[in-house]
Amino acid sequence: MNGTLVWLALLGVSILVELRARLGAGRTPTLGRVGAAIATSLGGRILLLLLWMFVGLHLFSRYTLPGH
């Protein structure tokens, strides 16, 4: 239950950051621009891949496997 609340909180924060960036209420870059900036180097691409794998594995194991 607590893990689900954390994932929902992260989702909510990311949506708020994206809305703030798109509505121009500050100098906050969009999440796409942040990802593009990180992916300009090889280390950044590896970091994004590992982050994507971590999130995907945890969401997959939490919500699709029986008994979790």
Side-chain angles (χ1 to χ4, degrees):
M1 178 69 178
N2 290 335
T4 301
L5 292 176
V6 170
W7 286 117
L8 289 174
L10 285 172
L11 178 64
V13 167
S14 64
I15 289 172
L16 289 176
V17 167
E18 186 70 19
L19 284 175
R20 178 184 166 119
R22 298 233 180 230
L23 296 176
R27 298 174 56 171
T28 308
T30 62
L31 296 175
R33 287 184 184 234
V34 171
I38 293 172
T40 57
S41 67
L42 179 62
R45 288 185 206 136
I46 292 171
L47 179 68
L48 286 175
L49 179 65
L50 291 173
L51 179 68
W52 188 254
M53 289 170 53
F54 174 80
V55 170
L57 177 67
H58 280 79
L59 291 177
F60 172 76
S61 65
R62 178 173 300 275
Y63 297 111
T64 60
L65 297 177
H68 285 92

